[in-house]
Amino acid sequence: MKKLLFAITGYEYLAEKVLALGHCERGEIEVSHFTDGERYQRILSNVEGREVLLIGGTVSDSATLELYDLASSLVSYGADSLTLVIPYFGYSTMERAVKPGEIVTAKTRARLLSAIPKSNRGNKVMLFDLHSEGIQYYFEQDLYPVHVYCKDIVIEAATRYGGDNFVMASTDAGRAKWVESLANDIGVNAAFILKRRLKGDHTEVSAINADVAGKTVIIYDDMIRSGGSIVNAAMTYKNAGAGDIYVITTHGLFVNDGIGKLKACGAIKKLICTDTHVNCKDLEGDDFVEVRTVAGLICG
């Protein structure tokens, strides 16, 4: 029997792509809102004794609670097993406290989802290219975390656009380890930017660790929010003599006209991202952007 697939409202687009692979069966739910804005949900499919997948990124407080409510009820109505598929885990940059009193929201959200009742065969959560490896260990009790790497998607895109002579690059030394791993798998050189802190949040580029002159540069970052770091990196590599520059990211948020900033800098030839975040739906028809799906990693 096929697994039963549900999705919260914002992630129906990704559920459709997974269903198209033919390995899952659609789970039906009814969603509406009361006049005061409270959400009403009703599970229409019989889930008793079934293996259930539930797709929902924690892209907002509302989406997180929608995911929690639906997941808890799927177990209560008899799901034999439950796999939470969280393509984008929100607050992933708040994985630790830097200043006294800061709330480690990545941990509190993980604890919330860990409170979902346990199904007969247990609960699992799939997390994609986490900003910090340690986040998966914030999940507690019987919720088993699985960190899914989108490396194959990134490597395929990099080799397609990079050709025979390119450099795999990061925005700064903080992402160098992951980019170096990608570069080693591909068999190319890795580059990262060394920065020197001046005052407060102000930094200046002190060096680039590799020769990029005349070479295609593929910049990878796990997440792009507003695009500022990517633009700065692209301009730095371009000023160092790089040829064509492409950018690959797993999680494309592109807030505050992030796409517009990337286009306007004039240094980036193309952007490739996956469909883990709901904002990818706004990119359809944009020739500057190529969106690749993670559907095959969910239920391939």
Side-chain angles (χ1 to χ4, degrees):
M1 185 178 293
K2 294 181 178 180
K3 294 179 181 180
L4 202 55
L5 178 67
F6 293 87
I8 66 171
T9 307
Y11 273 84
E12 292 168 347
Y13 73 94
L14 187 51
E16 291 294 337
K17 295 178 183 179
V18 175
L19 288 167
L21 298 176
H23 302 292
C24 299
E25 177 185 337
R26 186 190 303 274
E28 301 288 351
I29 56 176
E30 177 187 348
V31 182
S32 61
H33 290 83
F34 294 105
T35 53
D36 59 0
E38 292 182 353
R39 184 184 296 106
Y40 170 86
Q41 296 187 87
R42 180 189 176 201
I43 301 169
L44 302 178
S45 301
N46 181 11
V47 300
E48 188 171 358
R50 299 290 299 273
E51 291 183 74
V52 173
L53 291 175
L54 172 57
I55 301 177
T58 58
V59 296
S60 65
D61 293 345
S62 177
T64 301
L65 289 177
E66 183 179 357
L67 179 67
Y68 174 81
D69 291 342
L70 183 52
S72 298
S73 297
L74 287 167
V75 174
S76 297
Y77 281 107
D80 190 42
S81 68
L82 175 66
T83 298
L84 292 177
V85 180
I86 303 182
Y88 173 74
F89 185 72
Y91 291 100
S92 60
T93 57
M94 284 303 302
E95 86 284 5
R96 60 191 175 95
V98 177
K99 300 177 182 178
E102 284 187 336
I103 296 173
V104 184
T105 319
K107 180 176 284 188
T108 59
R109 296 303 161 96
R111 285 175 172 169
L112 173 66
L113 297 174
S114 298
I116 294 168
K118 182 183 178 182
S119 61
N120 181 50
R121 290 172 53 195
N123 301 347
K124 181 167 65 175
V125 57
M126 297 174 66
L127 304 151
F128 295 72
D129 281 358
L130 288 169
H131 187 71
S132 172
E133 293 275 355
I135 291 175
Q136 62 182 309
Y137 302 108
Y138 290 164
F139 293 87
E140 302 173 344
Q141 301 178 47
D142 298 309
L143 182 57
Y144 178 69
V146 177
H147 192 176
V148 179
Y149 295 95
C150 302
K151 180 178 280 191
D152 288 347
I153 296 175
V154 175
I155 289 177
E156 200 284 325
T159 53
R160 176 184 174 186
Y161 289 104
D164 298 327
N165 182 27
F166 71 93
V167 176
M168 202 76 204
S170 65
T171 55
D172 54 46
R175 302 303 297 170
K177 184 178 179 180
W178 179 234
V179 168
E180 185 176 25
S181 174
L182 289 167
N184 287 338
D185 286 351
I186 300 169
V188 298
N189 290 329
F192 60 89
I193 298 170
L194 300 173
K195 297 179 181 178
R196 182 168 66 91
R197 185 170 297 281
L198 299 177
K199 183 189 297 184
D201 293 332
H202 298 288
T203 59
E204 70 173 6
V205 174
S206 59
I208 297 175
N209 78 314
D211 179 19
V212 299
K215 297 179 181 179
T216 297
V217 171
I218 310 287
I219 301 174
Y220 172 77
D221 206 351
D222 65 299
M223 175 173 60
I224 298 177
R225 276 187 169 143
S226 62
S229 295
I230 292 292
V231 168
N232 290 336
M235 296 306 297
T236 298
Y237 288 122
K238 181 61 75 173
N239 291 337
D244 290 337
I245 296 177
Y246 297 87
V247 172
I248 302 175
T249 186
T250 301
H251 309 297
L253 282 65
F254 308 125
V255 297
N256 297 328
D257 192 29
I259 292 291
K261 293 175 185 176
L262 296 177
K263 290 179 180 179
C265 79
I268 300 169
K269 190 168 185 178
K270 198 172 189 67
L271 167 70
I272 301 96
C273 70
T274 75
D275 55 0
T276 59
H277 195 280
V278 295
N279 287 350
C280 74
K281 293 182 290 185
D282 298 329
L283 305 177
E284 294 180 6
D286 191 328
D287 293 337
F288 178 71
V289 186
E290 179 182 322
V291 179
R292 300 194 171 203
T293 186
V294 297
L297 300 177
I298 295 172
C299 188

PDB file of all heavy atoms in Angstrom, residues 236-249:
ATOM      1  N   THR A 236      33.321  40.478  -5.121  1.00  0.00           N
ATOM      2  CA  THR A 236      34.704  40.219  -4.716  1.00  0.00           C
ATOM      3  C   THR A 236      35.386  39.280  -5.703  1.00  0.00           C
ATOM      4  O   THR A 236      36.526  39.523  -6.142  1.00  0.00           O
ATOM      5  CB  THR A 236      34.745  39.613  -3.301  1.00  0.00           C
ATOM      6  OG1 THR A 236      34.190  40.545  -2.368  1.00  0.00           O
ATOM      7  CG2 THR A 236      36.175  39.288  -2.892  1.00  0.00           C
ATOM      8  N   TYR A 237      34.711  38.202  -6.066  1.00  0.00           N
ATOM      9  CA  TYR A 237      35.292  37.262  -7.031  1.00  0.00           C
ATOM     10  C   TYR A 237      35.435  37.901  -8.416  1.00  0.00           C
ATOM     11  O   TYR A 237      36.415  37.664  -9.124  1.00  0.00           O
ATOM     12  CB  TYR A 237      34.425  36.000  -7.116  1.00  0.00           C
ATOM     13  CG  TYR A 237      34.529  35.116  -5.894  1.00  0.00           C
ATOM     14  CD1 TYR A 237      33.397  34.795  -5.137  1.00  0.00           C
ATOM     15  CD2 TYR A 237      35.749  34.590  -5.492  1.00  0.00           C
ATOM     16  CE1 TYR A 237      33.486  33.985  -4.023  1.00  0.00           C
ATOM     17  CE2 TYR A 237      35.847  33.776  -4.369  1.00  0.00           C
ATOM     18  CZ  TYR A 237      34.713  33.483  -3.638  1.00  0.00           C
ATOM     19  OH  TYR A 237      34.804  32.682  -2.517  1.00  0.00           O
ATOM     20  N   LYS A 238      34.458  38.703  -8.792  1.00  0.00           N
ATOM     21  CA  LYS A 238      34.522  39.378 -10.093  1.00  0.00           C
ATOM     22  C   LYS A 238      35.706  40.349 -10.134  1.00  0.00           C
ATOM     23  O   LYS A 238      36.435  40.421 -11.133  1.00  0.00           O
ATOM     24  CB  LYS A 238      33.212  40.119 -10.378  1.00  0.00           C
ATOM     25  CG  LYS A 238      33.168  40.834 -11.718  1.00  0.00           C
ATOM     26  CD  LYS A 238      33.333  39.882 -12.891  1.00  0.00           C
ATOM     27  CE  LYS A 238      32.082  39.072 -13.144  1.00  0.00           C
ATOM     28  NZ  LYS A 238      32.186  38.259 -14.387  1.00  0.00           N
ATOM     29  N   ASN A 239      35.908  41.093  -9.059  1.00  0.00           N
ATOM     30  CA  ASN A 239      37.023  42.032  -8.991  1.00  0.00           C
ATOM     31  C   ASN A 239      38.377  41.321  -8.975  1.00  0.00           C
ATOM     32  O   ASN A 239      39.405  41.928  -9.286  1.00  0.00           O
ATOM     33  CB  ASN A 239      36.890  42.916  -7.749  1.00  0.00           C
ATOM     34  CG  ASN A 239      35.726  43.889  -7.848  1.00  0.00           C
ATOM     35  OD1 ASN A 239      35.277  44.223  -8.941  1.00  0.00           O
ATOM     36  ND2 ASN A 239      35.221  44.331  -6.706  1.00  0.00           N
ATOM     37  N   ALA A 240      38.338  40.028  -8.593  1.00  0.00           N
ATOM     38  CA  ALA A 240      39.574  39.237  -8.590  1.00  0.00           C
ATOM     39  C   ALA A 240      39.819  38.585  -9.949  1.00  0.00           C
ATOM     40  O   ALA A 240      40.731  37.777 -10.088  1.00  0.00           O
ATOM     41  CB  ALA A 240      39.517  38.170  -7.494  1.00  0.00           C
ATOM     42  N   GLY A 241      38.972  38.923 -10.926  1.00  0.00           N
ATOM     43  CA  GLY A 241      39.194  38.437 -12.281  1.00  0.00           C
ATOM     44  C   GLY A 241      38.381  37.238 -12.702  1.00  0.00           C
ATOM     45  O   GLY A 241      38.640  36.655 -13.764  1.00  0.00           O
ATOM     46  N   ALA A 242      37.402  36.849 -11.906  1.00  0.00           N
ATOM     47  CA  ALA A 242      36.572  35.688 -12.255  1.00  0.00           C
ATOM     48  C   ALA A 242      35.831  35.921 -13.559  1.00  0.00           C
ATOM     49  O   ALA A 242      35.508  37.066 -13.920  1.00  0.00           O
ATOM     50  CB  ALA A 242      35.576  35.394 -11.136  1.00  0.00           C
ATOM     51  N   GLY A 243      35.556  34.825 -14.278  1.00  0.00           N
ATOM     52  CA  GLY A 243      34.763  34.899 -15.496  1.00  0.00           C
ATOM     53  C   GLY A 243      33.282  34.893 -15.142  1.00  0.00           C
ATOM     54  O   GLY A 243      32.821  35.720 -14.359  1.00  0.00           O
ATOM     55  N   ASP A 244      32.529  33.959 -15.700  1.00  0.00           N
ATOM     56  CA  ASP A 244      31.111  33.854 -15.364  1.00  0.00           C
ATOM     57  C   ASP A 244      30.937  33.406 -13.916  1.00  0.00           C
ATOM     58  O   ASP A 244      31.686  32.558 -13.416  1.00  0.00           O
ATOM     59  CB  ASP A 244      30.418  32.845 -16.280  1.00  0.00           C
ATOM     60  CG  ASP A 244      30.303  33.355 -17.716  1.00  0.00           C
ATOM     61  OD1 ASP A 244      30.343  34.585 -17.916  1.00  0.00           O
ATOM     62  OD2 ASP A 244      30.179  32.510 -18.626  1.00  0.00           O
ATOM     63  N   ILE A 245      29.947  33.969 -13.261  1.00  0.00           N
ATOM     64  CA  ILE A 245      29.651  33.613 -11.874  1.00  0.00           C
ATOM     65  C   ILE A 245      28.216  33.110 -11.778  1.00  0.00           C
ATOM     66  O   ILE A 245      27.277  33.783 -12.229  1.00  0.00           O
ATOM     67  CB  ILE A 245      29.847  34.812 -10.930  1.00  0.00           C
ATOM     68  CG1 ILE A 245      31.320  35.236 -10.930  1.00  0.00           C
ATOM     69  CG2 ILE A 245      29.389  34.467  -9.512  1.00  0.00           C
ATOM     70  CD1 ILE A 245      31.603  36.467 -10.071  1.00  0.00           C
ATOM     71  N   TYR A 246      28.061  31.931 -11.207  1.00  0.00           N
ATOM     72  CA  TYR A 246      26.745  31.352 -10.956  1.00  0.00           C
ATOM     73  C   TYR A 246      26.572  31.188  -9.455  1.00  0.00           C
ATOM     74  O   TYR A 246      27.547  31.002  -8.724  1.00  0.00           O
ATOM     75  CB  TYR A 246      26.608  29.990 -11.634  1.00  0.00           C
ATOM     76  CG  TYR A 246      26.698  30.030 -13.142  1.00  0.00           C
ATOM     77  CD1 TYR A 246      27.933  29.957 -13.787  1.00  0.00           C
ATOM     78  CD2 TYR A 246      25.549  30.149 -13.928  1.00  0.00           C
ATOM     79  CE1 TYR A 246      28.033  29.998 -15.171  1.00  0.00           C
ATOM     80  CE2 TYR A 246      25.636  30.191 -15.314  1.00  0.00           C
ATOM     81  CZ  TYR A 246      26.881  30.115 -15.931  1.00  0.00           C
ATOM     82  OH  TYR A 246      26.968  30.156 -17.293  1.00  0.00           O
ATOM     83  N   VAL A 247      25.326  31.243  -9.011  1.00  0.00           N
ATOM     84  CA  VAL A 247      25.029  31.082  -7.592  1.00  0.00           C
ATOM     85  C   VAL A 247      24.052  29.923  -7.416  1.00  0.00           C
ATOM     86  O   VAL A 247      23.048  29.836  -8.129  1.00  0.00           O
ATOM     87  CB  VAL A 247      24.418  32.370  -6.992  1.00  0.00           C
ATOM     88  CG1 VAL A 247      23.928  32.118  -5.564  1.00  0.00           C
ATOM     89  CG2 VAL A 247      25.432  33.501  -7.014  1.00  0.00           C
ATOM     90  N   ILE A 248      24.373  29.037  -6.478  1.00  0.00           N
ATOM     91  CA  ILE A 248      23.487  27.914  -6.148  1.00  0.00           C
ATOM     92  C   ILE A 248      23.143  28.005  -4.670  1.00  0.00           C
ATOM     93  O   ILE A 248      24.020  28.213  -3.824  1.00  0.00           O
ATOM     94  CB  ILE A 248      24.149  26.556  -6.435  1.00  0.00           C
ATOM     95  CG1 ILE A 248      24.568  26.454  -7.897  1.00  0.00           C
ATOM     96  CG2 ILE A 248      23.199  25.411  -6.082  1.00  0.00           C
ATOM     97  CD1 ILE A 248      25.341  25.173  -8.220  1.00  0.00           C
ATOM     98  N   THR A 249      21.873  27.858  -4.351  1.00  0.00           N
ATOM     99  CA  THR A 249      21.448  27.826  -2.956  1.00  0.00           C
ATOM    100  C   THR A 249      20.376  26.762  -2.784  1.00  0.00           C
ATOM    101  O   THR A 249      19.621  26.470  -3.720  1.00  0.00           O
ATOM    102  CB  THR A 249      20.913  29.189  -2.488  1.00  0.00           C
ATOM    103  OG1 THR A 249      20.645  29.140  -1.082  1.00  0.00           O
ATOM    104  CG2 THR A 249      19.621  29.565  -3.215  1.00  0.00           C
TER     105      THR A 249
END
